[in-house]
Amino acid sequence: MRIIKCYLSNFGHRNLMPAPAVQAYCFIPRINLGTNVEFMVDTGASATCLNGNYAFGLQGHMRKDTLSPSTGIGGQCGYYEEDAVLVFTDTKGQELSFPLELSIQRIRRCLWRQPKSYILQTPCLLGRDLFSKWELRYNHRGKNITLIAP
């Protein structure tokens, strides 16, 4: 059993109530690109996805044939699919890899150029594709949030 500590984050928004979050290194082998990502722990999301600024920087690398529509609480948008690996660090300082099909938000120019557009500030989501295999323990009062990998 491996334990990954999570934390509460407002994702850079002063007025947003803090939500469970976790840091992971996200690597996309096809384009040989990786970066550290702060994911919002979202048990309502069916898949793990990169949104906002993280997705914006990848738009030029995406393949149109992997684009599919997605509907959620935020409305409808398109997501590209890429094989990826998330690398977490457990409480003992050891790395733990989780391969998955990552959804990457399609960001249209007309949306991010709007003056009050918050599309680039949308947090990345860690979804049920991971939670169906790992356990999430969340005690809001004690601010104790952990992911437990087998």
Side-chain angles (χ1 to χ4, degrees):
M1 181 166 76
R2 311 264 304 268
I3 299 171
I4 295 118
K5 290 291 286 181
C6 301
Y7 51 91
L8 293 175
S9 173
N10 66 3
F11 298 91
H13 301 279
R14 279 186 267 153
N15 299 328
L16 184 67
M17 178 181 264
V22 66
Q23 186 84 20
Y25 182 77
C26 180
F27 180 72
I28 303 170
R30 183 183 68 82
I31 58 176
N32 194 31
L33 189 65
T35 190
N36 288 314
V37 176
E38 182 180 46
F39 287 96
M40 178 185 287
V41 174
D42 187 350
T43 59
S46 57
T48 296
C49 54
L50 291 183
N51 295 315
N53 280 319
Y54 292 101
F56 180 72
L58 296 172
Q59 298 299 295
H61 299 283
M62 296 297 97
R63 298 172 294 174
K64 292 186 191 314
D65 62 331
T66 68
L67 183 64
S68 60
S70 178
T71 302
I73 289 181
Q76 185 175 21
C77 66
Y79 279 89
Y80 300 101
E81 301 296 328
E82 286 286 342
D83 290 331
V85 177
L86 299 183
V87 181
F88 299 88
T89 303
D90 70 11
T91 54
K92 294 180 181 178
Q94 298 176 338
E95 292 182 348
L96 179 61
S97 298
F98 185 83
L100 76 162
E101 188 172 88
L102 183 68
S103 297
I104 300 167
Q105 182 183 26
R106 177 184 183 200
I107 300 178
R108 298 181 187 184
R109 282 184 186 254
C110 61
L111 293 176
W112 63 266
R113 287 191 172 181
Q114 292 176 6
K116 293 190 177 182
S117 176
Y118 294 100
I119 196 160
L120 295 180
Q121 298 172 9
T122 307
C124 299
L125 305 177
L126 190 64
R128 290 191 315 265
D129 49 353
L130 183 131
F131 303 129
S132 65
K133 295 176 175 61
W134 293 8
E135 181 182 348
L136 170 65
R137 292 185 185 169
Y138 179 34
N139 176 342
H140 184 75
R141 283 192 189 135
K143 297 181 182 175
N144 185 16
I145 311 158
T146 55
L147 287 172
I148 302 183

